[in-house]
Amino acid sequence: RFMQVTQLKMMYKITFYNSKGLSVNCYLVEENEYLTLIDTAMEEHVENIFRVAKDIGKPINNIILTHAHHDHIGGLDTMKQLISYSTVYISHREAPLMNGDLSLNEDEPKTAIRGIFPKKKTSKADILLQDGERIGSLQALFTPGHTPGSMSFIDTRNNALIAGDAFQTIGGLAVAGQIRPSFPFPAKGTWNKEIALKSARKIQSYNPSLLAVGHGEIVNQPHADISMAIAEAEQNLNQEKNS
């Protein structure tokens, strides 16, 4: 198994590649006294995440989950065994999905929730996040679409934004739900493309200094790329409506 660590601003991107060349990212965000882990990747990745934190030399006090798909929360139980003192956060809307309840709310479009959710998670979230809440330097942004409760997080110190699967960058920057043939899985796992597009516009409105995603490289100064990805998603959705 192959791992790569990239440091940018107050953030460490940890990328895991499997034998098929598929990759997933999680992030350690550095605060003065501690680290916040965003997403846990899969169970087999946890020891390596823990090792990176040890090298940085600060405890992981917070574990924030962008959404409940298996490649983002698969390592949670093992991580909690290693650092039982850490606080686990997920959005108020995503918490039921984490517990295996895939039913939709009355006000939500009845498109099927897609993707793989772990069946036997024992860990629960300690704190359910609402839009705009703060965890250290990070501000939570409710950005549903990929799943009904997906969240992104913006670092208020430097405007770096971690978007989970609201965007992907493998095969070129794309809004959740827009297929990239070289890596189609985030699109195939997306719940609602229209809502994903609204969330992409919300992310754009924060004018992030960099865009970090669950799958793919970080984009620095991503404004132009985000605009292009949004325009492409709009065009594709209009074509689907009219076809």
Side-chain angles (χ1 to χ4, degrees):
R1 288 218 162 76
F2 173 43
M3 173 180 88
Q4 184 182 20
V5 182
T6 313
Q7 186 185 0
L8 272 159
K9 301 194 173 174
M10 313 298 287
M11 182 171 85
Y12 298 79
K13 173 170 84 92
I14 310 171
T15 307
F16 297 101
Y17 300 89
N18 72 8
S19 56
K20 298 182 186 118
L22 304 179
S23 68
V24 63
N25 304 325
C26 58
Y27 296 88
L28 286 166
V29 177
E30 191 169 359
E31 302 279 0
N32 290 334
E33 305 293 324
Y34 62 87
L35 299 166
T36 293
L37 173 65
I38 299 184
D39 290 337
T40 65
M42 312 277 269
E43 192 175 350
E44 62 265 26
H45 301 140
V46 167
E47 274 184 32
N48 282 323
I49 297 170
F50 196 64
R51 205 170 297 148
V52 174
K54 260 203 151 104
D55 288 346
I56 298 167
K58 293 179 182 180
I60 299 172
N61 283 5
N62 303 317
I63 300 172
I64 304 178
L65 305 168
T66 59
H67 63 294
H69 279 152
H70 74 119
D71 51 338
H72 295 261
I73 72 166
L76 179 61
D77 285 349
T78 311
M79 188 59 85
K80 274 296 277 188
Q81 285 161 12
L82 284 172
I83 46 171
S84 55
Y85 56 82
S86 61
T87 306
V88 178
Y89 299 79
I90 200 165
S91 86
H92 64 289
R93 177 60 189 94
E94 197 74 0
L97 281 71
M98 183 177 168
N99 303 330
D101 174 4
L102 302 188
S103 55
L104 290 159
N105 294 343
E106 276 176 22
D107 59 343
E108 290 171 341
K110 298 298 173 261
T111 41
I113 295 176
R114 296 186 171 89
I116 303 166
F117 295 89
K119 291 284 182 280
K120 294 187 170 62
K121 280 266 137 308
T122 55
S123 306
K124 300 273 188 273
D126 301 299
I127 294 179
L128 303 186
L129 289 166
Q130 303 284 348
D131 188 45
E133 288 186 340
R134 287 281 291 267
I135 311 102
S137 301
L138 296 169
Q139 183 184 349
L141 304 179
F142 189 54
T143 51
H146 182 63
T147 63
S150 290
M151 270 196 158
S152 302
F153 298 89
I154 191 159
D155 192 325
T156 54
R157 297 168 294 187
N158 53 36
N159 236 35
L161 193 140
I162 299 170
D165 287 354
F167 286 96
Q168 72 180 79
T169 62
I170 296 178
L173 186 67
V175 176
Q178 301 302 314
I179 290 268
R180 288 289 180 264
S182 59
F183 195 71
F185 306 102
K188 287 183 172 168
T190 292
W191 164 60
N192 188 284
K193 290 190 253 192
E194 284 81 11
I195 293 176
L197 178 56
K198 277 187 194 140
S199 290
R201 291 194 193 106
K202 178 176 180 173
I203 288 168
Q204 179 186 39
S205 74
Y206 281 84
N207 200 13
S209 61
L210 65 80
L211 181 67
V213 296
H215 304 278
E217 294 302 319
I218 288 171
V219 183
N220 265 305
Q221 301 306 329
H223 190 77
D225 289 327
I226 289 174
S227 298
M228 274 168 60
I230 286 172
E232 179 198 341
E234 282 169 351
Q235 191 182 353
N236 289 346
L237 283 171
N238 284 335
Q239 279 171 353
E240 281 170 32
K241 271 187 201 129
N242 297 329
S243 65

